Amino acid sequence: MQHASTAPAARPRPRWWTELPLLALVYAAYSAGRLLARGDTSTAIDHGLAILRLEKTLHINAEHPLNRLFTAHPALGIPADFVYASLHYLVTPVVLVWLFRRREALYRRARTWLMTSTVLGLVGFTLMPTCPPRLLDAAHGFVDTMARYSSYGWWGAEASAPRGLGALTNQYAAMPSLHVGWALWCGIVLWRHARHPLVRAAAVAYPLVITFVVMGTANHYFLDAVAGAVVMGVGALLTTPVLRALDRVGALLAGRFPQFAPAVFPRFAPAVDSPIAADSPIVSAECETSPGERIPGQRTASADSTHAGTAGAPDARTRPVPGAEAAARAGAGAARDDAAAAAR
C-alpha cells in the first residue's frame, strides 16, 4: 500500500513582537559591550600606530590621501560626515524590515548572519582596542573632519554621537570596522535578493562608499575596513551552526514552557493539523491504495456491477467443469450400451 504524498508544512512566519525585542536586546548588549571594552588609552594608541606602520610598509595607507581630500573640500567632507553619522543606523534596519516583509523565507538566516558577525566584532573590540586615525597626534597627518564640521550636524567632537552623549560611545572601537561590515551585509543581501536594477546598483555602491567615507573622515584605517569584511565572512560561515544551536534552545524552551510556545516559539509550537492524524476515524488514514487493490470488506463499484450482471447465473462453485461434464456423458452412454447387450 502506497502512502499519499503530502506537501511539507510551511514554516511559521516570524513575528515582529518577538523579532523587535530580540534585535533591541542584541544591539543593547553590543553597545554595552563596547563601553565595557574600552581598554586603556595608551594600548589603543599603540595598536593604532602599529596598524598605520604596517599599512605604510605595504603602501596601502589610503586613509591619508582621502582624509586630505575631505579636509580640503568641505563639499566632500560635510556629506561624508553625514553619511558616517546616519546611514549606518538607517540602512541596516531598513534592509532588515524589507527582508521581514518581502523575503520572509530568507529573513531568519540573514538576521542571524548579521547578529553573529556583530558579536564577533565585539570580540575584536575587546581583544584589540584601537585608536582611530582622527585621535592620533596631529603629527601623523590626520584631521578629525567630524570635529571640524560639527557645526553642520548633530554630532560633537566625540565620534558621531549627538552632542553631550559622547561618553556613551567607545571611541577606541575601530578594529574591525562594523560600518563597513554592516554595509557589506546590506550590499550582499540587496544584490542577491532585490530585483530592480537601481537597487542592485546601490547594493554594489553602498559598501564601497562607506569604505571611502570611514577612511576619509579619519574614523578607520584601511585594515579596519578589511577586518570588517573578514568578520562578515566568518559570520556567514557560522550562520548554519548558530541556527542549529538556536533551534535546539528554542525546542528546549518550548518544551519547558508549552503555554508560551504558540506566541514566543511559533516554530516549535505543537501542530494543530497534522498531515496524518494519529486518531483518524478514516480506515485508510489518508493512505491511497494501488490500482486494483481494495481494503478488506470494502465493496467497489466494479464488484457491485459484476454482481448485478450475474444475479441469475448459477454459482461458479456448483457449475461443472466442461471437460468433466463431457466425460460423464460418455461414461453414461457406455453404461447404457452394456446394459442393452446384456439384455439381449
Side-chain angles (χ1 to χ4, degrees):
M1 183 178 294
Q2 301 171 350
H3 292 280
S5 59
T6 56
R11 288 185 175 182
R13 178 185 176 91
R15 300 177 180 181
W16 67 267
W17 62 84
T18 57
E19 288 297 321
L20 192 58
L22 174 63
L23 295 175
L25 178 63
V26 171
Y27 185 77
Y30 160 72
S31 301
R34 286 186 58 172
L35 293 177
L36 294 175
R38 290 185 179 186
D40 61 287
T41 303
S42 59
T43 301
I45 292 175
D46 290 341
H47 288 159
L49 292 176
I51 292 174
L52 185 59
R53 286 193 297 268
L54 178 59
E55 289 187 355
K56 288 182 176 180
T57 301
L58 299 175
H59 302 286
I60 57 173
N61 57 319
E63 58 270 18
H64 262 127
L66 284 173
N67 183 241
R68 289 194 291 267
L69 179 65
F70 285 14
T71 304
H73 301 281
L76 294 175
I78 295 174
D81 288 341
F82 275 98
V83 167
Y84 181 83
S86 60
L87 293 190
H88 179 64
Y89 307 101
L90 294 178
V91 176
T92 308
V94 166
V95 175
L96 273 172
V97 171
W98 174 76
L99 281 172
F100 183 83
R101 293 178 59 86
R102 300 295 183 87
R103 300 287 188 273
E104 64 180 75
L106 308 169
Y107 168 79
R108 186 168 180 261
R109 173 169 290 272
R111 176 257 285 160
T112 305
W113 173 22
L114 179 66
M115 291 169 54
T116 303
S117 302
T118 300
V119 172
L120 293 176
L122 179 58
V123 173
F125 302 152
T126 305
L127 297 179
M128 190 175 178
T130 303
C131 178
R134 63 185 181 82
L135 295 182
L136 294 176
D137 189 89
H140 295 287
F142 291 103
V143 175
D144 186 353
T145 63
M146 301 292 293
R148 169 167 290 194
Y149 303 127
S150 62
S151 60
Y152 292 90
W154 59 84
W155 57 87
E158 297 174 309
S160 58
R163 292 182 182 88
L165 299 179
L168 299 180
T169 185
N170 180 6
Q171 298 194 78
Y172 298 108
M175 170 65 77
S177 171
L178 286 186
H179 270 75
V180 173
W182 287 13
L184 182 61
W185 177 87
C186 293
I188 292 175
V189 168
L190 292 176
W191 171 260
R192 293 184 61 184
H193 305 299
R195 296 191 181 96
H196 199 284
L198 290 180
V199 176
R200 301 189 74 196
V204 176
Y206 180 56
L208 295 176
V209 168
I210 293 298
T211 301
F212 285 115
V213 163
V214 299
M215 292 191 293
T217 57
N219 278 285
H220 289 281
Y221 305 94
F222 174 72
L223 289 180
D224 294 346
V226 173
V230 171
V231 162
M232 298 309 297
V234 175
L237 294 176
L238 294 177
T239 297
T240 297
V242 170
L243 282 173
R244 290 173 181 167
L246 292 175
D247 284 344
R248 287 194 291 268
V249 173
L252 180 63
L253 293 176
R256 181 66 179 84
F257 305 102
Q259 64 273 25
F260 301 113
V264 183
F265 312 107
R267 289 171 52 82
F268 307 102
V272 177
D273 298 320
S274 176
I276 298 179
D279 300 327
S280 174
I282 302 175
V283 176
S284 63
E286 295 191 9
C287 296
E288 62 181 23
T289 60
S290 303
E293 182 182 3
R294 64 187 179 89
I295 298 173
Q298 182 182 26
R299 299 177 63 88
T300 62
S302 59
D304 292 341
S305 61
T306 303
H307 180 72
T310 58
D315 191 357
R317 289 174 295 181
T318 62
R319 182 183 298 173
V321 181
E325 183 180 358
R329 289 177 182 176
R336 285 195 300 270
D337 293 342
D338 290 341
R344 286 195 299 265

